[in-house]
Amino acid sequence: LTENKETQDCFLALNNFVIELQLELNAFRDQWMSELKPSSGASGLSGRLLRAKGLKRTQDIAREEKATELFLRAVQEEQNGAVYEAIKFYRMAVQLVPDIEFKINYSRPADADRVGGNYVEDNNVDEIEDLLAYFEQQLNVESSFPKICSPELDLTQMHISALPREIMMYIFRWVVSSDLDMRALEQLSLVCRGFYICARDPEIWHLACLRVWGRNCTKLVPFKSWREMFLRRPRVRYDGVYISKTSYIRQGEESLDGFYRAWHHVEYYRYLRFFPSGQVVMLTTPEDPLAVVPRLRTKNIRMDSVMLGHFRLSQETDNQTKVFAVVCKKKEEVRLIIDYKTRERNPAPEAEHSFHVGLHLSSGGRQMFSKLEWIHHSCHINYKLTGETVVTAFDVDSKYTPFFFARVKSYTAFSEQPL
Protein backbone atom coordinates (compact mmCIF):
# COMPACT_ATOMS: atom_id res chain seq x y z
CA LEU A 1 0.00 0.00 0.00
CA THR A 2 2.86 2.38 0.77
CA GLU A 3 4.51 1.71 -2.59
CA ASN A 4 1.20 2.22 -4.43
CA LYS A 5 0.68 5.55 -2.65
CA GLU A 6 4.20 6.73 -3.45
CA THR A 7 3.75 5.69 -7.09
CA GLN A 8 0.44 7.54 -7.26
CA ASP A 9 1.96 10.70 -5.77
CA CYS A 10 4.84 10.59 -8.23
CA PHE A 11 2.41 10.14 -11.11
CA LEU A 12 0.31 13.08 -9.98
CA ALA A 13 3.33 15.32 -9.55
CA LEU A 14 4.70 14.33 -12.98
CA ASN A 15 1.36 14.90 -14.69
CA ASN A 16 0.92 18.34 -13.12
CA PHE A 17 4.48 19.27 -14.05
CA VAL A 18 3.84 18.33 -17.69
CA ILE A 19 0.64 20.38 -17.80
CA GLU A 20 2.29 23.42 -16.25
CA LEU A 21 5.25 23.06 -18.60
CA GLN A 22 2.96 23.02 -21.64
CA LEU A 23 1.12 26.11 -20.43
CA GLU A 24 4.37 27.98 -19.81
CA LEU A 25 5.71 26.95 -23.19
CA ASN A 26 2.62 28.24 -24.97
CA ALA A 27 2.83 31.48 -23.02
CA PHE A 28 6.49 31.91 -23.91
CA ARG A 29 5.75 31.34 -27.60
CA ASP A 30 2.93 33.89 -27.61
CA GLN A 31 5.06 36.44 -25.80
CA TRP A 32 8.02 35.86 -28.14
CA MET A 33 5.85 36.30 -31.22
CA SER A 34 4.31 39.48 -29.78
CA GLU A 35 7.73 40.97 -29.08
CA LEU A 36 8.85 40.37 -32.67
CA LYS A 37 6.12 42.68 -33.93
CA PRO A 38 7.07 46.40 -34.07
CA SER A 39 5.63 48.57 -31.29
CA SER A 40 6.48 52.03 -30.00
CA GLY A 41 5.62 54.34 -27.11
CA ALA A 42 2.58 54.03 -24.92
CA SER A 43 0.61 52.15 -27.54
CA GLY A 44 3.19 49.38 -27.51
CA LEU A 45 3.15 49.24 -23.72
CA SER A 46 -0.65 49.10 -23.56
CA GLY A 47 -0.63 46.46 -26.28
CA ARG A 48 1.76 44.31 -24.30
CA LEU A 49 -0.39 44.70 -21.19
CA LEU A 50 -3.50 43.67 -23.08
CA ARG A 51 -1.69 40.70 -24.57
CA ALA A 52 -0.41 39.70 -21.11
CA LYS A 53 -3.94 39.84 -19.69
CA GLY A 54 -5.28 37.88 -22.60
CA LEU A 55 -2.52 35.33 -22.18
CA LYS A 56 -3.30 34.89 -18.49
CA ARG A 57 -6.97 34.51 -19.34
CA THR A 58 -6.10 31.87 -21.92
CA GLN A 59 -3.98 29.99 -19.38
CA ASP A 60 -6.77 30.04 -16.81
CA ILE A 61 -9.29 28.76 -19.36
CA ALA A 62 -6.95 25.99 -20.46
CA ARG A 63 -6.25 24.97 -16.87
CA GLU A 64 -9.98 24.95 -16.04
CA GLU A 65 -10.80 22.89 -19.15
CA LYS A 66 -8.15 20.33 -18.24
CA ALA A 67 -9.39 20.18 -14.63
CA THR A 68 -12.98 19.78 -15.85
CA GLU A 69 -11.95 16.89 -18.07
CA LEU A 70 -10.16 15.16 -15.20
CA PHE A 71 -13.05 15.74 -12.79
CA LEU A 72 -15.65 14.31 -15.17
CA ARG A 73 -13.35 11.34 -15.79
CA ALA A 74 -13.22 10.81 -12.02
CA VAL A 75 -17.02 10.96 -11.79
CA GLN A 76 -17.32 8.35 -14.51
CA GLU A 77 -14.77 6.06 -12.83
CA GLU A 78 -16.57 6.39 -9.50
CA GLN A 79 -19.92 5.48 -11.05
CA ASN A 80 -18.28 2.43 -12.65
CA GLY A 81 -17.02 1.28 -9.25
CA ALA A 82 -13.34 2.13 -9.78
CA VAL A 83 -12.94 4.17 -6.62
CA TYR A 84 -9.13 4.02 -6.61
CA GLU A 85 -8.88 5.44 -10.12
CA ALA A 86 -11.55 8.04 -9.32
CA ILE A 87 -9.55 9.35 -6.35
CA LYS A 88 -6.50 9.71 -8.57
CA PHE A 89 -8.32 11.86 -11.13
CA TYR A 90 -10.09 13.84 -8.39
CA ARG A 91 -6.76 14.81 -6.88
CA MET A 92 -5.32 15.79 -10.24
CA ALA A 93 -8.33 18.02 -10.97
CA VAL A 94 -8.31 19.69 -7.55
CA GLN A 95 -4.60 20.43 -7.77
CA LEU A 96 -5.16 22.33 -11.01
CA VAL A 97 -8.32 24.18 -9.88
CA PRO A 98 -9.16 23.80 -6.14
CA ASP A 99 -12.85 24.71 -6.56
CA ILE A 100 -13.43 22.85 -9.83
CA GLU A 101 -16.44 20.93 -8.45
CA PHE A 102 -18.34 24.22 -8.10
CA LYS A 103 -17.52 25.34 -11.64
CA ILE A 104 -18.92 22.29 -13.42
CA ASN A 105 -22.50 22.28 -14.64
CA TYR A 106 -24.47 19.11 -14.01
CA SER A 107 -27.66 18.03 -15.73
CA ARG A 108 -29.25 14.79 -16.86
CA PRO A 109 -28.93 13.82 -20.51
CA ALA A 110 -32.12 13.43 -22.52
CA ASP A 111 -31.79 9.66 -22.86
CA ALA A 112 -30.81 8.97 -19.29
CA ASP A 113 -32.90 7.07 -16.81
CA ARG A 114 -35.15 9.12 -14.57
CA VAL A 115 -33.67 7.59 -11.45
CA GLY A 116 -30.00 7.29 -12.39
CA GLY A 117 -27.84 8.24 -15.34
CA ASN A 118 -24.51 10.01 -15.77
CA TYR A 119 -24.23 13.75 -15.33
CA VAL A 120 -22.82 15.81 -18.21
CA GLU A 121 -21.99 19.46 -18.59
CA ASP A 122 -24.91 21.11 -20.37
CA ASN A 123 -26.90 23.80 -18.59
CA ASN A 124 -25.90 26.46 -16.10
CA VAL A 125 -27.11 24.51 -13.10
CA ASP A 126 -24.25 25.74 -10.92
CA GLU A 127 -25.58 29.27 -11.29
CA ILE A 128 -28.98 28.37 -9.82
CA GLU A 129 -29.81 30.95 -7.20
CA ASP A 130 -32.92 29.24 -5.83
CA LEU A 131 -32.11 25.61 -5.13
CA LEU A 132 -35.58 25.13 -3.68
CA ALA A 133 -37.26 25.95 -7.00
CA TYR A 134 -34.85 23.67 -8.82
CA PHE A 135 -35.64 20.69 -6.56
CA GLU A 136 -39.38 21.27 -6.90
CA GLN A 137 -39.02 21.37 -10.67
CA GLN A 138 -37.02 18.13 -10.69
CA LEU A 139 -39.61 16.32 -8.56
CA ASN A 140 -42.41 17.48 -10.85
CA VAL A 141 -40.47 16.34 -13.93
CA GLU A 142 -39.61 12.92 -12.57
CA SER A 143 -43.17 12.00 -11.57
CA SER A 144 -46.63 13.12 -12.56
CA PHE A 145 -47.66 12.59 -8.91
CA PRO A 146 -44.71 14.00 -6.98
CA LYS A 147 -44.06 12.76 -3.46
CA ILE A 148 -41.88 14.23 -0.78
CA CYS A 149 -39.54 11.24 -1.01
CA SER A 150 -39.43 7.68 -2.31
CA PRO A 151 -38.03 4.50 -0.73
CA GLU A 152 -34.62 3.42 -1.95
CA LEU A 153 -35.32 -0.27 -1.26
CA ASP A 154 -38.46 -2.41 -1.40
CA LEU A 155 -40.25 -2.33 1.96
CA THR A 156 -42.97 -4.46 3.44
CA GLN A 157 -44.08 -1.72 5.84
CA MET A 158 -45.53 1.72 5.24
CA HIS A 159 -42.95 4.27 4.07
CA ILE A 160 -42.85 7.86 5.32
CA SER A 161 -43.49 9.11 1.78
CA ALA A 162 -47.10 7.89 2.11
CA LEU A 163 -47.85 10.57 4.70
CA PRO A 164 -49.64 13.72 3.54
CA ARG A 165 -47.67 16.94 3.27
CA GLU A 166 -49.54 18.48 6.22
CA ILE A 167 -48.50 15.67 8.58
CA MET A 168 -44.91 15.89 7.37
CA MET A 169 -44.87 19.61 8.12
CA TYR A 170 -46.23 18.90 11.59
CA ILE A 171 -43.38 16.44 12.16
CA PHE A 172 -40.92 19.09 11.04
CA ARG A 173 -42.39 21.46 13.62
CA TRP A 174 -41.69 18.86 16.27
CA VAL A 175 -38.09 18.76 15.07
CA VAL A 176 -37.82 22.53 15.51
CA SER A 177 -39.75 22.26 18.81
CA SER A 178 -40.47 25.09 21.21
CA ASP A 179 -36.69 25.47 21.76
CA LEU A 180 -36.19 26.66 18.15
CA ASP A 181 -33.74 23.92 17.23
CA MET A 182 -33.20 25.14 13.66
CA ARG A 183 -29.90 23.29 13.52
CA ALA A 184 -31.74 19.96 13.61
CA LEU A 185 -34.06 21.24 10.88
CA GLU A 186 -31.07 22.02 8.66
CA GLN A 187 -29.64 18.56 9.27
CA LEU A 188 -32.99 17.00 8.40
CA SER A 189 -33.00 18.87 5.10
CA LEU A 190 -29.91 16.91 4.01
CA VAL A 191 -31.84 13.64 3.80
CA CYS A 192 -33.32 14.16 0.33
CA ARG A 193 -34.73 16.77 -2.02
CA GLY A 194 -38.24 16.41 -0.60
CA PHE A 195 -37.06 16.99 2.97
CA TYR A 196 -35.05 19.96 1.71
CA ILE A 197 -38.24 21.47 0.29
CA CYS A 198 -40.16 20.90 3.54
CA ALA A 199 -37.34 22.33 5.66
CA ARG A 200 -37.39 25.54 3.57
CA ASP A 201 -41.10 26.11 4.11
CA PRO A 202 -41.52 29.88 4.75
CA GLU A 203 -44.17 29.32 7.43
CA ILE A 204 -41.76 27.44 9.71
CA TRP A 205 -39.10 30.14 9.48
CA HIS A 206 -41.69 32.89 9.89
CA LEU A 207 -42.97 31.31 13.10
CA ALA A 208 -39.38 31.01 14.36
CA CYS A 209 -38.76 34.71 13.63
CA LEU A 210 -41.95 35.65 15.46
CA ARG A 211 -40.81 33.67 18.50
CA VAL A 212 -37.51 35.55 18.55
CA TRP A 213 -38.47 39.15 17.71
CA GLY A 214 -42.23 39.22 18.26
CA ARG A 215 -43.78 42.55 17.29
CA ASN A 216 -40.47 43.73 15.82
CA CYS A 217 -40.78 41.11 13.07
CA THR A 218 -43.40 42.70 10.81
CA LYS A 219 -41.22 43.58 7.81
CA LEU A 220 -39.11 41.21 5.77
CA VAL A 221 -36.94 43.97 4.25
CA PRO A 222 -33.93 44.03 3.89
CA PHE A 223 -33.86 40.23 3.93
CA LYS A 224 -35.02 38.09 1.03
CA SER A 225 -36.68 35.38 3.12
CA TRP A 226 -37.62 34.56 6.71
CA ARG A 227 -34.85 31.99 6.82
CA GLU A 228 -32.27 34.59 5.87
CA MET A 229 -33.63 36.89 8.58
CA PHE A 230 -33.35 34.17 11.22
CA LEU A 231 -29.78 33.31 10.22
CA ARG A 232 -28.38 36.82 9.77
CA ARG A 233 -30.32 39.13 12.06
CA PRO A 234 -28.59 39.48 15.45
CA ARG A 235 -30.25 37.44 18.19
CA VAL A 236 -29.35 35.44 21.27
CA ARG A 237 -28.99 31.70 20.94
CA TYR A 238 -31.07 29.17 22.84
CA ASP A 239 -29.24 25.90 22.14
CA GLY A 240 -26.53 26.49 24.71
CA VAL A 241 -25.28 28.73 27.49
CA TYR A 242 -23.21 31.91 27.65
CA ILE A 243 -20.27 31.57 30.06
CA SER A 244 -18.02 34.24 31.53
CA LYS A 245 -14.92 33.26 33.51
CA THR A 246 -13.41 35.78 35.92
CA SER A 247 -10.14 35.34 37.80
CA TYR A 248 -7.98 37.78 39.76
CA ILE A 249 -5.41 37.96 42.56
CA ARG A 250 -6.54 39.32 45.94
CA GLN A 251 -4.20 40.41 48.69
CA GLY A 252 -4.68 38.63 52.00
CA GLU A 253 -3.96 39.57 55.57
CA GLU A 254 -0.45 39.94 56.86
CA SER A 255 0.83 37.33 59.29
CA LEU A 256 1.10 38.15 62.99
CA ASP A 257 4.88 38.39 62.89
CA GLY A 258 4.82 40.42 59.68
CA PHE A 259 7.07 37.92 57.96
CA TYR A 260 4.77 37.12 55.01
CA ARG A 261 1.48 38.11 53.41
CA ALA A 262 -0.91 35.69 51.71
CA TRP A 263 -2.23 36.16 48.17
CA HIS A 264 -5.43 34.50 47.04
CA HIS A 265 -6.31 33.47 43.49
CA VAL A 266 -10.06 34.05 43.09
CA GLU A 267 -11.86 32.35 40.21
CA TYR A 268 -15.58 32.17 39.49
CA TYR A 269 -18.04 31.86 36.60
CA ARG A 270 -21.14 33.67 35.41
CA TYR A 271 -23.74 31.74 33.40
CA LEU A 272 -26.53 33.10 31.20
CA ARG A 273 -29.18 30.84 29.69
CA PHE A 274 -31.83 32.34 27.40
CA PHE A 275 -35.17 30.73 26.54
CA PRO A 276 -37.44 31.44 23.53
CA SER A 277 -40.25 32.38 25.92
CA GLY A 278 -38.32 35.53 26.89
CA GLN A 279 -37.04 34.19 30.19
CA VAL A 280 -33.42 34.20 31.27
CA VAL A 281 -31.46 32.40 33.98
CA MET A 282 -28.37 33.97 35.52
CA LEU A 283 -26.02 32.21 37.89
CA THR A 284 -22.76 33.27 39.57
CA THR A 285 -20.85 30.43 41.16
CA PRO A 286 -17.30 29.07 41.55
CA GLU A 287 -18.43 25.67 40.28
CA ASP A 288 -16.94 24.36 37.05
CA PRO A 289 -19.12 24.39 33.86
CA LEU A 290 -18.96 20.60 33.71
CA ALA A 291 -21.06 20.45 36.88
CA VAL A 292 -23.31 23.47 36.28
CA VAL A 293 -24.24 23.32 32.58
CA PRO A 294 -26.37 20.11 32.83
CA ARG A 295 -28.41 21.71 35.63
CA LEU A 296 -29.36 24.68 33.44
CA ARG A 297 -31.36 22.62 30.95
CA THR A 298 -34.72 23.81 32.26
CA LYS A 299 -35.98 26.90 34.07
CA ASN A 300 -36.79 24.87 37.20
CA ILE A 301 -33.35 24.98 38.79
CA ARG A 302 -32.89 23.98 42.40
CA MET A 303 -29.97 26.19 43.32
CA ASP A 304 -30.05 28.92 45.95
CA SER A 305 -27.87 31.40 44.06
CA VAL A 306 -29.75 31.21 40.75
CA MET A 307 -31.62 34.30 39.52
CA LEU A 308 -34.59 34.28 37.14
CA GLY A 309 -36.00 37.06 35.01
CA HIS A 310 -36.88 38.29 31.54
CA PHE A 311 -34.89 39.80 28.70
CA ARG A 312 -35.51 41.79 25.53
CA LEU A 313 -33.52 42.64 22.41
CA SER A 314 -32.95 46.24 21.39
CA GLN A 315 -31.51 47.19 18.01
CA GLU A 316 -30.10 50.71 18.03
CA THR A 317 -29.86 53.15 15.14
CA ASP A 318 -26.18 52.28 14.67
CA ASN A 319 -27.14 48.63 13.97
CA GLN A 320 -25.80 47.51 17.34
CA THR A 321 -27.94 44.93 19.07
CA LYS A 322 -28.17 45.03 22.84
CA VAL A 323 -29.69 42.66 25.37
CA PHE A 324 -31.37 44.04 28.48
CA ALA A 325 -32.37 41.70 31.29
CA VAL A 326 -33.93 42.08 34.74
CA VAL A 327 -33.29 39.21 37.12
CA CYS A 328 -33.96 38.56 40.77
CA LYS A 329 -33.50 35.72 43.17
CA LYS A 330 -35.82 32.79 42.86
CA LYS A 331 -38.86 33.28 45.03
CA GLU A 332 -39.05 30.53 47.58
CA GLU A 333 -42.30 29.05 48.71
CA VAL A 334 -43.31 31.14 51.69
CA ARG A 335 -44.49 28.93 54.48
CA LEU A 336 -47.08 30.52 56.69
CA ILE A 337 -46.04 29.73 60.22
CA ILE A 338 -48.98 30.49 62.46
CA ASP A 339 -48.59 30.95 66.12
CA TYR A 340 -51.71 29.42 67.54
CA LYS A 341 -51.40 31.54 70.67
CA THR A 342 -51.12 34.93 69.04
CA ARG A 343 -52.57 33.97 65.62
CA GLU A 344 -49.90 36.07 63.87
CA ARG A 345 -48.09 35.24 60.66
CA ASN A 346 -44.50 35.90 59.62
CA PRO A 347 -43.97 39.48 58.47
CA ALA A 348 -43.43 40.04 54.76
CA PRO A 349 -39.93 40.91 53.57
CA GLU A 350 -39.18 44.61 53.79
CA ALA A 351 -37.26 44.98 50.50
CA GLU A 352 -36.91 43.28 47.13
CA HIS A 353 -33.65 43.18 45.20
CA SER A 354 -33.49 43.04 41.41
CA PHE A 355 -30.51 43.33 39.09
CA HIS A 356 -30.57 45.12 35.74
CA VAL A 357 -28.07 43.91 33.15
CA GLY A 358 -27.17 45.44 29.78
CA LEU A 359 -25.08 43.52 27.26
CA HIS A 360 -23.83 44.18 23.75
CA LEU A 361 -24.38 41.29 21.32
CA SER A 362 -21.66 40.56 18.76
CA SER A 363 -20.06 37.67 16.89
CA GLY A 364 -16.82 36.18 18.08
CA GLY A 365 -14.70 33.86 15.98
CA ARG A 366 -16.55 31.57 13.58
CA GLN A 367 -19.79 31.48 15.54
CA MET A 368 -22.43 34.15 15.02
CA PHE A 369 -24.00 35.95 17.98
CA SER A 370 -21.63 34.18 20.37
CA LYS A 371 -20.27 37.09 22.42
CA LEU A 372 -21.93 39.31 25.03
CA GLU A 373 -20.04 42.30 26.42
CA TRP A 374 -21.04 44.17 29.54
CA ILE A 375 -22.34 47.72 29.17
CA HIS A 376 -24.44 48.11 32.34
CA HIS A 377 -24.99 46.43 35.69
CA SER A 378 -27.02 47.85 38.59
CA CYS A 379 -28.95 46.74 41.66
CA HIS A 380 -32.46 48.06 42.40
CA ILE A 381 -33.72 47.82 45.97
CA ASN A 382 -37.45 48.39 46.37
CA TYR A 383 -38.65 49.11 49.92
CA LYS A 384 -42.25 47.97 50.21
CA LEU A 385 -43.13 50.01 53.28
CA THR A 386 -42.18 53.38 51.80
CA GLY A 387 -42.35 52.53 48.10
CA GLU A 388 -38.86 53.98 47.63
CA THR A 389 -36.43 52.48 45.14
CA VAL A 390 -32.67 52.82 45.57
CA VAL A 391 -30.47 52.21 42.54
CA THR A 392 -26.81 51.27 42.87
CA ALA A 393 -24.82 51.17 39.63
CA PHE A 394 -21.70 49.06 39.48
CA ASP A 395 -18.56 50.11 37.65
CA VAL A 396 -18.18 47.79 34.65
CA ASP A 397 -14.42 47.29 34.67
CA SER A 398 -11.99 44.55 33.65
CA LYS A 399 -13.54 42.15 36.16
CA TYR A 400 -16.65 42.01 34.00
CA THR A 401 -15.27 39.67 31.39
CA PRO A 402 -17.48 39.05 28.32
CA PHE A 403 -19.71 36.02 27.91
CA PHE A 404 -18.93 33.46 25.22
CA PHE A 405 -21.48 31.02 23.87
CA ALA A 406 -21.10 27.25 24.19
CA ARG A 407 -23.56 24.94 22.44
CA VAL A 408 -24.98 22.13 24.60
CA LYS A 409 -26.44 19.18 22.71
CA SER A 410 -28.57 17.98 25.61
CA TYR A 411 -30.59 21.22 25.59
CA THR A 412 -32.19 20.26 22.26
CA ALA A 413 -32.08 16.47 22.57
CA PHE A 414 -35.77 16.22 23.50
CA SER A 415 -38.81 18.15 22.32
CA GLU A 416 -41.41 19.16 24.86
CA GLN A 417 -43.85 20.64 22.32
CA PRO A 418 -43.81 21.57 18.61
CA LEU A 419 -43.14 24.99 17.17
Side-chain angles (χ1 to χ4, degrees):
L1 292 176
T2 304
E3 293 179 358
N4 291 337
K5 187 175 183 304
E6 293 177 354
T7 304
Q8 181 183 359
D9 294 338
C10 293
F11 177 75
L12 292 175
L14 180 61
N15 184 77
N16 293 333
F17 176 77
V18 171
I19 295 175
E20 294 291 341
L21 187 61
Q22 290 178 353
L23 296 175
E24 291 180 2
L25 181 59
N26 294 334
F28 174 78
R29 287 175 179 173
D30 295 338
Q31 184 179 3
W32 178 60
M33 293 298 295
S34 63
E35 291 178 353
L36 292 179
K37 297 180 181 180
S39 60
S40 60
S43 61
L45 179 59
S46 61
R48 286 195 296 271
L49 292 176
L50 291 176
R51 285 191 293 270
K53 291 181 180 179
L55 179 61
K56 187 178 183 303
R57 176 65 178 173
T58 304
Q59 292 178 354
D60 294 340
I61 293 176
R63 186 180 289 105
E64 186 173 337
E65 289 178 352
K66 184 64 177 178
T68 301
E69 180 183 352
L70 294 173
F71 193 89
L72 293 177
R73 175 74 180 278
V75 172
Q76 184 178 2
E77 294 292 343
E78 184 179 4
Q79 291 177 349
N80 294 334
V83 181
Y84 184 83
E85 295 293 330
I87 294 176
K88 180 178 67 175
F89 289 111
Y90 276 135
R91 292 181 61 182
M92 293 169 60
V94 172
Q95 288 180 359
L96 288 177
V97 181
D99 57 343
I100 185 60
E101 59 178 318
F102 301 105
K103 295 183 177 181
I104 299 179
N105 303 327
Y106 301 95
S107 65
R108 299 178 186 268
D111 56 347
D113 186 16
R114 289 297 183 184
V115 178
N118 296 330
Y119 290 90
V120 295
E121 185 176 357
D122 186 13
N123 299 326
N124 295 328
V125 182
D126 62 330
E127 298 179 357
I128 293 179
E129 297 180 356
D130 193 353
L131 192 59
L132 177 62
Y134 174 69
F135 281 164
E136 289 179 344
Q137 180 183 4
Q138 291 296 313
L139 289 178
N140 292 330
V141 169
E142 292 180 3
S143 176
S144 57
F145 300 98
K147 294 183 178 181
I148 293 179
C149 57
S150 58
E152 183 179 2
L153 304 174
D154 295 336
L155 302 176
T156 58
Q157 299 178 351
M158 183 67 68
H159 191 255
I160 193 173
S161 60
L163 296 178
R165 178 89 177 248
E166 294 77 11
I167 297 181
M168 287 295 300
M169 296 307 302
Y170 188 69
I171 295 175
F172 275 60
R173 291 187 182 184
W174 267 104
V175 173
V176 176
S177 74
S178 58
D179 295 327
L180 298 184
D181 187 12
M182 311 307 291
R183 181 186 180 91
L185 182 66
E186 293 288 276
Q187 293 177 342
L188 185 61
S189 68
L190 302 177
V191 174
C192 62
R193 290 175 296 180
F195 280 25
Y196 183 92
I197 294 173
C198 293
R200 293 299 189 275
D201 187 84
E203 185 180 357
I204 291 182
W205 293 93
H206 187 197
L207 290 176
C209 292
L210 289 176
R211 290 290 304 277
V212 176
W213 293 284
R215 293 179 298 176
N216 297 325
C217 185
T218 56
K219 296 182 180 180
L220 188 59
V221 179
F223 305 101
K224 298 179 181 179
S225 63
W226 296 110
R227 178 176 178 272
E228 183 181 355
M229 175 186 288
F230 186 88
L231 296 178
R232 295 189 178 183
R233 187 176 178 181
R235 55 178 173 81
V236 294
R237 299 183 57 176
Y238 309 116
D239 56 345
V241 60
Y242 290 87
I243 304 176
S244 172
K245 180 181 179 181
T246 303
S247 61
Y248 62 92
I249 303 296
R250 182 175 62 85
Q251 185 177 359
E253 296 183 358
E254 189 177 359
S255 61
L256 295 177
D257 56 1
F259 184 73
Y260 71 92
R261 181 185 296 272
W263 291 85
H264 304 281
H265 178 259
V266 181
E267 183 177 281
Y268 63 92
Y269 298 86
R270 290 189 178 99
Y271 301 89
L272 271 178
R273 172 79 200 281
F274 298 96
F275 295 89
S277 58
Q279 295 177 291
V280 61
V281 174
M282 186 174 182
L283 176 64
T284 303
T285 176
E287 295 187 47
D288 190 79
L290 190 62
V292 176
V293 168
R295 305 168 69 177
L296 298 178
R297 185 179 181 276
T298 62
K299 297 182 285 291
N300 300 322
I301 305 172
R302 296 183 179 179
M303 298 180 68
D304 296 335
S305 57
V306 70
M307 291 188 292
L308 304 178
H310 293 80
F311 75 95
R312 65 178 178 88
L313 294 176
S314 174
Q315 189 167 5
E316 306 295 338
T317 56
D318 53 356
N319 292 329
Q320 291 187 355
T321 301
K322 298 178 182 179
V323 182
F324 296 97
V326 179
V327 295
C328 58
K329 284 192 174 182
K330 186 177 180 181
K331 295 183 180 179
E332 300 179 355
E333 297 180 357
V334 180
R335 298 180 180 178
L336 302 178
I337 303 177
I338 302 177
D339 188 353
Y340 290 97
K341 295 182 179 180
T342 60
R343 298 291 180 178
E344 293 182 357
R345 300 182 178 182
N346 289 346
E350 296 181 355
E352 289 184 353
H353 295 71
S354 62
F355 296 88
H356 292 230
V357 176
L359 302 165
H360 174 247
L361 179 63
S362 60
S363 299
R366 298 182 179 180
Q367 293 186 350
M368 298 183 65
F369 327 125
S370 60
K371 186 177 181 181
L372 291 173
E373 299 180 84
W374 288 86
I375 57 177
H376 175 75
H377 189 205
S378 62
C379 177
H380 293 233
I381 305 176
N382 182 23
Y383 295 94
K384 291 186 175 181
L385 297 178
T386 62
E388 182 184 3
T389 301
V390 178
V391 179
T392 303
F394 302 103
D395 185 15
V396 180
D397 52 9
S398 59
K399 292 183 180 180
Y400 285 83
T401 56
F403 290 87
F404 291 95
F405 180 79
R407 191 174 72 91
V408 184
K409 296 182 180 179
S410 61
Y411 288 176
T412 54
F414 301 97
S415 301
E416 296 182 357
Q417 57 183 354
L419 174 66

Short mmCIF file of all heavy atoms in Angstrom, two decimals, residues 278-282 307-311 325-328:
data_model
loop_
_atom_site.label_atom_id
_atom_site.label_comp_id
_atom_site.label_asym_id
_atom_site.label_seq_id
_atom_site.Cartn_x
_atom_site.Cartn_y
_atom_site.Cartn_z
N GLY A 278 -38.69 34.22 26.37
CA GLY A 278 -38.32 35.53 26.89
C GLY A 278 -37.75 35.49 28.28
O GLY A 278 -37.42 36.54 28.85
N GLN A 279 -37.60 34.32 28.86
CA GLN A 279 -37.04 34.19 30.19
C GLN A 279 -35.53 33.98 30.12
O GLN A 279 -35.00 33.50 29.12
CB GLN A 279 -37.70 33.02 30.93
CG GLN A 279 -39.19 33.23 31.19
CD GLN A 279 -39.81 32.03 31.86
OE1 GLN A 279 -39.94 30.98 31.25
NE2 GLN A 279 -40.23 32.18 33.11
N VAL A 280 -34.87 34.33 31.19
CA VAL A 280 -33.42 34.20 31.27
C VAL A 280 -33.04 33.71 32.66
O VAL A 280 -33.72 34.02 33.65
CB VAL A 280 -32.73 35.55 30.96
CG1 VAL A 280 -33.15 36.62 31.97
CG2 VAL A 280 -31.22 35.40 30.94
N VAL A 281 -31.99 32.92 32.72
CA VAL A 281 -31.46 32.40 33.98
C VAL A 281 -30.03 32.89 34.12
O VAL A 281 -29.22 32.75 33.19
CB VAL A 281 -31.50 30.86 34.01
CG1 VAL A 281 -30.81 30.34 35.26
CG2 VAL A 281 -32.93 30.37 33.97
N MET A 282 -29.71 33.47 35.25
CA MET A 282 -28.37 33.97 35.52
C MET A 282 -27.85 33.34 36.80
O MET A 282 -28.58 33.25 37.80
CB MET A 282 -28.38 35.50 35.65
CG MET A 282 -27.00 36.11 35.78
SD MET A 282 -27.06 37.94 35.74
CE MET A 282 -25.31 38.31 35.86
N MET A 307 -30.72 33.16 39.67
CA MET A 307 -31.62 34.30 39.52
C MET A 307 -32.40 34.14 38.22
O MET A 307 -31.83 33.79 37.18
CB MET A 307 -30.84 35.61 39.52
CG MET A 307 -30.22 35.94 40.87
SD MET A 307 -29.49 37.61 40.94
CE MET A 307 -28.11 37.38 39.81
N LEU A 308 -33.69 34.41 38.29
CA LEU A 308 -34.59 34.28 37.14
C LEU A 308 -35.11 35.65 36.75
O LEU A 308 -35.21 36.56 37.58
CB LEU A 308 -35.75 33.35 37.48
CG LEU A 308 -35.40 31.95 37.96
CD1 LEU A 308 -36.67 31.18 38.30
CD2 LEU A 308 -34.60 31.20 36.91
N GLY A 309 -35.45 35.79 35.47
CA GLY A 309 -36.00 37.06 35.01
C GLY A 309 -36.39 37.00 33.55
O GLY A 309 -36.58 35.92 32.98
N HIS A 310 -36.50 38.16 32.94
CA HIS A 310 -36.88 38.29 31.54
C HIS A 310 -35.87 39.17 30.82
O HIS A 310 -35.17 39.97 31.44
CB HIS A 310 -38.29 38.88 31.42
CG HIS A 310 -39.37 38.00 31.95
ND1 HIS A 310 -39.65 37.90 33.30
CD2 HIS A 310 -40.24 37.15 31.32
CE1 HIS A 310 -40.64 37.03 33.47
NE2 HIS A 310 -41.02 36.57 32.29
N PHE A 311 -35.82 39.02 29.51
CA PHE A 311 -34.89 39.80 28.70
C PHE A 311 -35.62 40.29 27.45
O PHE A 311 -36.68 39.80 27.09
CB PHE A 311 -33.67 38.96 28.30
CG PHE A 311 -33.94 37.96 27.21
CD1 PHE A 311 -33.69 38.25 25.88
CD2 PHE A 311 -34.49 36.72 27.51
CE1 PHE A 311 -33.95 37.34 24.87
CE2 PHE A 311 -34.74 35.80 26.51
CZ PHE A 311 -34.48 36.11 25.19
N ALA A 325 -31.73 42.73 30.47
CA ALA A 325 -32.37 41.70 31.29
C ALA A 325 -32.56 42.23 32.70
O ALA A 325 -31.76 43.03 33.21
CB ALA A 325 -31.52 40.43 31.32
N VAL A 326 -33.63 41.79 33.34
CA VAL A 326 -33.93 42.08 34.74
C VAL A 326 -34.11 40.75 35.45
O VAL A 326 -35.00 39.96 35.09
CB VAL A 326 -35.19 42.95 34.89
CG1 VAL A 326 -35.48 43.22 36.35
CG2 VAL A 326 -35.03 44.26 34.12
N VAL A 327 -33.26 40.49 36.42
CA VAL A 327 -33.29 39.21 37.12
C VAL A 327 -33.36 39.47 38.62
O VAL A 327 -32.93 40.52 39.11
CB VAL A 327 -32.04 38.35 36.79
CG1 VAL A 327 -32.03 37.96 35.33
CG2 VAL A 327 -30.76 39.10 37.13
N CYS A 328 -33.91 38.51 39.31
CA CYS A 328 -33.96 38.56 40.77
C CYS A 328 -33.87 37.14 41.30
O CYS A 328 -34.02 36.17 40.55
CB CYS A 328 -35.25 39.24 41.25
SG CYS A 328 -36.77 38.46 40.67
#
